[in-house]
Amino acid sequence: MAFQLPDLPYAHDALEPYMSRETLEYHHDKHHNAYVTTLNSLIEGTDLANKSLEDIVKETYNDSSKTKIFNQGSQHWNHDLFWPSMKPGGGTKIPGELEKALNDAFGGWDQFRETFVNTSVGQFGSGWGWLVQDSGGKLKIYGTPNGVNPLCFGDHALLGVDVWEHSYYLDYRNRRPDYVKAFLDSLVDWEFVASRLKS
């Protein structure tokens, strides 16, 4: 079954001024759509055609003969998580269970925010910043290059921020720190993030 581009869960201008209509039109409608259509064309008629997106990502990671498939599939998966992790009026109060988990793992919001921002901003070139839960239930923050995501390491992603330039350059130019801070403080849907916590 062919994969499909998901609809945005909000209007293209709903995240302004932190993320513009123009950015979403390019990022969602063009970049994400290209990952989906390319992935479909690459797996058509292969043994991957009927596999889940998660299985495609895990099975093609580190397989040099399937690098193109991995790149498209992982970026499709990453964006499927990215869009619903934001909402208009985001960045509001964190649900109690998630707040406790962040406090336990990082020592409080300020320390979590500093680590997440620094890690995401410090990811060289294109990539992602992640908040994950490992197989033991511990929360961690790390960056990955290009389309690599936590599925590749057996971790469960709670939140990912896209730091490819197409995700912020129209709105922030080269100010990646301002973009990541705006993402955390004004866009993240923390209830969505909390809903992904595994007990």
Side-chain angles (χ1 to χ4, degrees), residues 71-168:
N71 288 337
Q72 307 303 316
S74 63
Q75 280 289 76
H76 179 28
W77 188 90
N78 294 350
H79 287 83
D80 272 0
L81 177 68
F82 184 58
W83 306 125
S85 74
M86 298 181 287
K87 69 176 183 179
T92 51
K93 183 172 173 56
I94 300 175
E97 182 184 6
L98 177 59
E99 184 177 35
K100 181 181 185 306
L102 292 174
N103 289 342
D104 290 345
F106 305 106
W109 165 259
D110 291 340
Q111 294 90 329
F112 159 73
R113 182 180 183 273
E114 180 180 9
T115 302
F116 189 90
V117 169
N118 289 343
T119 300
S120 302
V121 171
Q123 177 58 46
F124 182 75
S126 300
W128 291 74
W130 300 99
L131 170 66
V132 308
Q133 199 170 16
D134 69 15
S135 57
K138 184 179 179 181
L139 299 194
K140 296 179 178 178
I141 292 170
Y142 54 74
T144 58
N146 301 313
V148 176
N149 66 46
L151 290 175
C152 303
F153 315 114
D155 291 332
H156 175 67
L158 301 178
L159 178 67
V161 62
D162 188 347
V163 292
W164 287 58
E165 285 191 342
H166 63 238
S167 68
Y168 64 88

Side-chain angles (χ1 to χ4, degrees), residues 9-198:
Y10 31 72
H12 283 83
D13 61 355
L15 303 182
E16 292 183 340
Y18 308 104
M19 193 174 287
S20 67
R21 167 188 283 275
E22 187 179 18
T23 288
L24 283 177
E25 287 174 346
Y26 275 99
H27 194 174
H28 173 269
D29 301 359
K30 298 187 186 304
H31 285 280
H32 189 178
N33 189 55
Y35 299 134
V36 176
T37 56
T38 306
L39 174 64
N40 285 332
S41 70
L42 290 171
I43 65 174
E44 185 177 2
T46 74
D47 60 347
L48 295 172
N50 293 312
K51 300 229 172 170
S52 72
L53 186 57
E54 290 80 3
D55 284 342
I56 289 172
V57 171
K58 289 186 278 190
E59 289 181 26
T60 58
Y61 179 59
N62 275 341
D63 183 341
S64 60
S65 70
K66 295 183 171 67
T67 298
K68 288 182 180 179
I69 294 173
F70 171 76
N71 288 337
Q72 307 303 316
S74 63
Q75 280 289 76
H76 179 28
W77 188 90
N78 294 350
H79 287 83
D80 272 0
L81 177 68
F82 184 58
W83 306 125
S85 74
M86 298 181 287
K87 69 176 183 179
T92 51
K93 183 172 173 56
I94 300 175
E97 182 184 6
L98 177 59
E99 184 177 35
K100 181 181 185 306
L102 292 174
N103 289 342
D104 290 345
F106 305 106
W109 165 259
D110 291 340
Q111 294 90 329
F112 159 73
R113 182 180 183 273
E114 180 180 9
T115 302
F116 189 90
V117 169
N118 289 343
T119 300
S120 302
V121 171
Q123 177 58 46
F124 182 75
S126 300
W128 291 74
W130 300 99
L131 170 66
V132 308
Q133 199 170 16
D134 69 15
S135 57
K138 184 179 179 181
L139 299 194
K140 296 179 178 178
I141 292 170
Y142 54 74
T144 58
N146 301 313
V148 176
N149 66 46
L151 290 175
C152 303
F153 315 114
D155 291 332
H156 175 67
L158 301 178
L159 178 67
V161 62
D162 188 347
V163 292
W164 287 58
E165 285 191 342
H166 63 238
S167 68
Y168 64 88
Y169 210 81
L170 289 173
D171 301 324
Y172 296 89
R173 296 299 187 261
N174 63 334
R175 303 189 315 275
R176 186 188 281 187
D178 291 349
Y179 158 68
V180 177
K181 290 172 185 175
F183 173 78
L184 277 182
D185 297 341
S186 303
L187 292 176
V188 172
D189 181 348
W190 291 109
E191 290 182 354
F192 172 82
V193 178
S195 75
R196 294 185 58 81
L197 268 178
K198 291 185 174 182

